[in-house]
Amino acid sequence: MTTQSASAGAAAVPYLNLLVTMVMFGSAFASSKVVVEDMPHAVAAALRFGGGGLLLIVLAVLFRHRSQPIGRAAAVRAGLAGLLGVTGYNIFFFWGLSLAPSLDGSIIVPVLSPILTTATLILLRRETASWTRVAGLAVGAAGAVIFFLGLGGQTAGSTRLAGDLVFVAGAGCWAAYSILSKSLVAGIDPLRATAWGTGVGGLALIVLAIPGAADLDWQTVPGTTWANVVFLAVGPTAVAYLFYYRGLRSVSPSSATVMMFSVPVFGSFFSTVFLDESFTGIQLVGTLVMLGGALFAVVGHTLFRRRKAPENAPDASAPSRTETEVS
């Protein structure tokens, strides 16, 4: 019994690492909203990923004995991925936060990103257009329409709608990064690739933030804002990526994708509790429909395949190949 308990505990550790990552990712929306209230969104992005990139580089140096050194060509590829996934995405992310509630971003970005990724892969014929994927994408798109219709009766609807559309652009940027990063960072240690990508992307954000930083009265920035800047650099950036890296060593990418759908839950919680933000009942319905469609589009085919697997198993008492790989 003790051995079994220890084994179960060891198996749960990677999922706990990923859970910490999802909590950190969810908290980033509310915390970033606090920062953009007191400084330009480009400066806020630069401070988060400038500091986070530096911390990740330090972590990569500390854990350098666990992987092969990164070559020049691999460093260039990781840097290109960082320009798309860090610089490009965060320009839209923080810009959207300056126009719309963080609650909207915590729902639109993590839910639409996998939908756009899956749709693009199907259009590029890199994945099959199974009925589960098509149905999930259709339901997810319908949920997005319902969500945006819920903005109609709000007094600040024009600003909020503009911010939400910027969030959609950010989701598209992250989807493109997810697709291209597989080839750009292929064969590179995940932590090293993340450190290089975040470092290069953060440096580009710093360059773009120079005009806004020159006009900002730094002495008027409240202490709470600085506390959030430090938290963003350490928690949702350095710590989150480190725990994500550790979790992916033992958990399949599909399982990690499923856990990513918990980000809207944590994001909504932090935005509601700490910023007193809210959305309409129509938006709530749209969120649930969009989340269900995205989940079905991404992992629906896998679930149906696993249900059929035991029928072809030669021995029902023995674990199947799929079960062994999952565990």
Side-chain angles (χ1 to χ4, degrees):
M1 182 66 67
T2 303
T3 304
Q4 293 179 349
S5 300
S7 178
V13 169
Y15 292 94
L16 292 176
N17 288 331
L18 290 176
L19 183 62
V20 171
T21 300
M22 303 313 152
V23 173
M24 290 290 100
F25 283 168
S27 67
F29 292 88
S31 186
S32 299
K33 180 67 174 180
V34 173
V35 176
V36 297
E37 292 292 336
D38 295 304
M39 61 179 63
H41 60 271
V43 176
L47 288 175
R48 173 185 174 180
F49 281 90
L54 179 62
L55 288 174
L56 283 168
I57 291 174
V58 172
L59 290 173
V61 172
L62 293 176
F63 292 103
R64 64 185 182 278
H65 60 280
R66 297 188 179 184
S67 60
Q68 295 294 326
I70 186 171
R72 181 178 299 178
V76 172
R77 297 200 310 271
L80 291 174
L83 290 175
L84 181 60
V86 175
T87 307
Y89 165 72
N90 280 283
I91 288 174
F92 292 115
F93 173 75
F94 282 91
W95 184 13
L97 285 174
S98 67
L99 299 172
S102 63
L103 187 63
D104 292 7
S106 67
I107 294 169
I108 293 172
V109 175
V111 178
L112 276 188
S113 293
I115 291 178
L116 295 175
T117 300
T118 303
T120 302
L121 290 174
I122 291 176
L123 291 175
L124 294 176
R125 297 185 178 180
R126 292 171 57 178
E127 290 190 359
T128 57
S130 62
W131 73 268
T132 54
R133 289 184 180 276
V134 174
L137 291 174
V139 172
V145 172
I146 295 173
F147 182 87
F148 281 102
L149 289 177
L151 298 174
Q154 300 186 19
T155 56
S158 58
T159 301
R160 189 170 186 175
L161 178 59
D164 286 355
L165 292 177
V166 173
F167 283 135
V168 173
C173 188
W174 186 261
Y177 164 74
S178 300
I179 296 171
L180 294 177
S181 63
K182 291 184 178 181
S183 58
L184 289 175
V185 301
I188 310 176
D189 174 71
L191 180 57
R192 289 177 182 267
T194 302
W196 273 94
T198 305
V200 172
L203 182 61
L205 286 172
I206 291 174
V207 173
L208 294 174
I210 291 177
D215 296 334
L216 178 63
D217 186 358
W218 294 93
Q219 295 182 349
T220 62
V221 179
T224 54
T225 299
W226 285 116
N228 277 277
V229 168
V230 174
F231 170 74
L232 286 169
V234 176
T237 306
V239 172
Y241 279 113
L242 176 61
F243 275 76
Y244 192 65
Y245 158 74
R246 294 177 61 183
L248 282 181
R249 289 189 298 180
S250 303
V251 174
S252 66
S254 61
S255 298
T257 300
V258 172
M259 295 197 68
M260 189 68 73
F261 288 117
S262 65
V263 173
V265 177
F266 295 119
S268 299
F269 171 79
F270 288 115
S271 297
T272 302
V273 172
F274 293 103
L275 300 181
D276 197 28
E277 295 180 349
S278 62
F279 50 18
T280 65
I282 296 177
Q283 287 180 290
L284 178 59
V285 172
T287 298
L288 295 176
V289 173
M290 187 165 48
L291 186 60
L295 185 62
F296 197 68
V298 174
V299 299
H301 67 292
T302 304
L303 297 176
F304 278 93
R305 186 164 60 243
R306 288 179 180 175
R307 289 180 61 182
K308 295 180 180 179
E311 299 177 2
N312 300 324
D315 183 1
S317 62
S320 67
R321 179 177 176 82
T322 302
E323 293 170 339
T324 304
E325 291 176 347
V326 172
S327 63

